[in-house]
Amino acid sequence: MTMEAERGPAPAPPARAGRPRRPVPGLGALRQTGRLFALAAAVTRAVFKRPFQLREFIEQFWFIASVTILPAALVSIPFGAVIALQVGSLTQQLGAQSFTGGASVLAVIQQASPLIVALLIAGAGGSAICADLGSRTIREELDAMEVMGVSPVQRLVVPRVLATMFVAVLLNGMVSVVGTLGGYFFNVILQGGTPGAYLSSFSALAQLPDLYVSEIKALIFGFIAGIVAAYRGLNPRGGPKGVGDAVNQSVVITFLLLFFVNMVLTGIYLQIVPPKGG
């Protein structure tokens, strides 16, 4: 008898199915991104469903507006002043001081105003939305609503997202006006510019689509801030500490998305809408 027959059959290799699989790098972030887009799609569909929570919408609208109006007005003044001073100094070096008003106002309306509004809404209103939904989630209130047949997205998320969007659009107009007046004051008083040159350069360079794209940016930024805050509030981890972490994460994620989306929208606008007189 051979040696192999005496030893008997070789043991079978261990099954690979029982081994723990290594996590794929980046798969968790991709999954979270997909869930965020799924929530955005669900909110968009739920907007057109009835009944609409009008009372919840009014309450959230008033709350977000009350915590962002004064900070937005106070922040827009130094923003407009800094832009006017910097643009005025640059135009003086280039010998084009007569275009200071138009350049500074366009920078305020197209770029500064939507970003100021979105950052304030994400920092003040979005953090409050995330904390409220997160506390409801860890208390299992949302699970109870689903058991009773009430959709948490339609009942709680949709009014908050719409409130952030409407407040962003209205605040954008206020910030544009206040920032423009601040830039006018600092250019005329501190840099020795003339009111006529400031206004004439503004009318020569600015056009109505500049205001349209500013309002569209504010609307999209408000939607992003509301969706991110609601998503992180609906998915906290680790109890009350997880709610605090979710609030911080929602603000940071919103800031990153806002600057990226602003870059994309600005590039599209500059390619589609020709400059005035071009």
Side-chain angles (χ1 to χ4, degrees):
M1 185 177 295
T2 60
M3 188 66 66
E4 288 76 11
E6 293 179 355
R7 292 179 180 177
R16 299 179 59 89
R19 295 180 180 179
R21 296 182 179 180
R22 295 181 180 180
V24 180
L27 185 59
L30 184 62
R31 186 181 295 111
Q32 296 290 335
T33 304
R35 292 175 180 173
L36 179 64
F37 278 95
L39 178 62
V43 169
T44 304
R45 291 193 302 267
V47 168
F48 304 99
K49 294 182 180 180
R50 296 295 179 269
F52 179 73
Q53 304 298 326
L54 181 60
R55 181 176 179 179
E56 186 76 18
F57 167 75
I58 295 175
E59 291 178 355
Q60 294 298 321
F61 179 89
W62 175 251
F63 169 74
I64 298 174
S66 63
V67 298
T68 53
I69 287 178
L70 184 59
L74 295 178
V75 171
S76 60
I77 295 175
F79 254 92
V82 168
I83 291 175
L85 295 175
Q86 188 65 43
V87 173
S89 176
L90 181 61
T91 53
Q92 285 181 359
Q93 297 177 12
L94 298 177
Q97 190 175 1
S98 59
F99 293 99
T100 301
S104 60
V105 169
L106 286 180
V108 169
I109 293 178
Q110 287 190 13
Q111 304 298 330
S113 178
L115 286 177
I116 290 173
V117 171
L119 295 180
L120 287 175
I121 287 181
S127 59
I129 291 173
C130 183
D132 179 37
L133 294 178
S135 62
R136 292 172 183 263
T137 302
I138 63 175
R139 292 197 302 263
E140 299 182 353
E141 293 183 13
L142 303 185
D143 295 336
M145 293 176 63
E146 292 180 352
V147 170
M148 293 185 295
V150 179
S151 173
V153 173
Q154 185 178 2
R155 178 65 179 81
L156 299 176
V157 177
V158 170
R160 286 163 171 78
V161 173
L162 290 180
T164 57
M165 295 172 63
F166 278 90
V167 172
V169 171
L170 296 179
L171 279 183
N172 184 67
M174 185 197 73
V175 172
S176 299
V177 173
V178 175
T180 301
L181 294 178
Y184 172 84
F185 175 80
F186 280 89
N187 177 257
V188 173
I189 301 300
L190 298 182
Q191 294 184 318
T194 59
Y198 191 95
L199 297 177
S200 62
S201 65
F202 170 66
S203 60
L205 296 178
Q207 52 185 339
L208 201 56
D210 298 329
L211 181 60
Y212 293 160
V213 72
S214 179
E215 295 291 350
I216 292 174
K217 282 183 178 181
L219 188 70
I220 296 176
F221 293 167
F223 179 78
I224 293 175
I227 289 295
V228 173
Y231 174 75
R232 294 305 305 146
L234 294 175
N235 300 276
R237 296 178 181 177
K241 182 180 181 300
V243 176
D245 295 338
V247 171
N248 296 331
Q249 293 172 6
S250 69
V251 175
V252 174
I253 294 172
T254 303
F255 284 8
L256 295 176
L257 290 177
L258 289 179
F259 285 107
F260 176 75
V261 174
N262 180 63
M263 178 189 67
V264 174
L265 293 178
T266 302
I268 294 175
Y269 173 75
L270 294 177
Q271 292 295 325
I272 294 178
V273 179
K276 191 174 183 179

